[in-house]
Structure formats: C-alpha cells, structure tokens
Amino acid sequence: MKPKFNVIFLEEAQVFIDKLDSKSRDKVIYNIHKARLVNDNELFKKLVGEIWEFRTLYNRKKYRLLAFWDKLEKVESIVISTHGFIKKTDKTPQSDLDKAEKIRKQYFEQKNKTK
C-alpha cells in the first residue's frame, strides 16, 4: 500500500520524539506511519484552520504532534510536523495552536523566498 503523504519533522518535533521513552516513541512513529496509509481521525485529525494533529494514546498519555500540509506542485503531498507535546486536558492548548500556525507561516514565507 502506497502512503498518501510523506512526513517531515521540524527540529522541535524531532526533539520531542527523541526525548520519549523507546516504547512511547515506537508507538508514536507506528501511528504516524499508519496515518499515512489510512484515513483515520483517531490518528490524524484537522484541528483548526490549516493545523492538523497526529494523535497517539499510549499508557494513558495523549501524545500530540501538530502539523500542516505542503502540497508540492500537486505531485506530492508532505505533512510538516512542527512540534509535539503530551496533552493534559481534552482541549488542545491555544498556545500550541498559535505556535504551529506561526511556524507554518514562517515555513511558507521562507519557502516563497527561495523560489
């Protein structure tokens, strides 16, 4: 089965994943890989505007990686993961949503400068 998109982890997202214990890290990576193959809101869900989240529930902890889409010339779709956190409440903190949106804007500003 061919993945529907590729994933790029920005530095902060990679640091978050690297700091997890090995079993939690493996579960997060497994769920991201699975989300690339199937449409499942339990794994990858749109939150608000252009911001999406990879979702993992493991050992009663809610791991989240926020992300956005970059559709390259309509040939290939890439999901850029901005950062991650362990969710403590039912609602995603506004500060994390704002941070992801700020990173998304900076990403596209930088990308457009290099064209």
Side-chain angles (χ1 to χ4, degrees):
M1 185 178 238
K2 185 176 185 256
K4 297 175 185 350
F5 55 87
N6 290 317
V7 179
I8 293 175
F9 299 98
L10 297 182
E11 183 178 356
E12 201 170 328
Q14 190 62 57
V15 167
F16 172 76
I17 290 171
D18 291 345
K19 285 185 177 180
L20 297 175
D21 67 86
S22 62
K23 288 186 178 187
S24 298
R25 182 182 324 112
D26 290 347
K27 182 65 172 176
V28 168
I29 296 298
Y30 172 80
N31 280 356
I32 290 170
H33 177 72
K34 188 174 176 185
R36 295 172 59 220
L37 301 173
V38 298
N39 292 332
D40 184 343
N41 278 345
E42 293 300 312
L43 299 174
F44 188 54
K45 177 181 175 182
K46 185 173 187 175
L47 291 179
V48 62
E50 301 296 322
I51 305 302
W52 292 64
E53 72 176 351
F54 288 105
R55 305 158 51 98
T56 299
L57 178 61
Y58 180 69
N59 276 349
R60 290 187 256 161
K61 288 187 179 177
K62 298 174 186 175
Y63 298 93
R64 298 295 188 258
L65 282 151
L66 298 189
F68 59 88
W69 290 86
D70 182 358
K71 297 187 176 168
L72 298 172
E73 315 302 322
K74 299 189 182 192
V75 174
E76 180 181 23
S77 291
I78 296 177
V79 172
I80 312 294
S81 180
T82 61
H83 68 288
F85 59 95
I86 297 174
K87 196 169 167 185
K88 294 177 174 58
T89 64
D90 286 341
K91 192 169 182 177
T92 301
Q94 186 63 46
S95 60
D96 282 301
L97 294 171
D98 293 343
K99 181 177 186 174
E101 180 60 27
K102 180 180 176 185
I103 293 169
R104 186 187 76 79
K105 286 179 180 175
Q106 290 172 342
Y107 171 87
F108 284 111
E109 284 172 8
Q110 187 64 35
K111 183 178 175 181
N112 290 334
K113 283 182 186 175
T114 59
K115 278 188 176 180

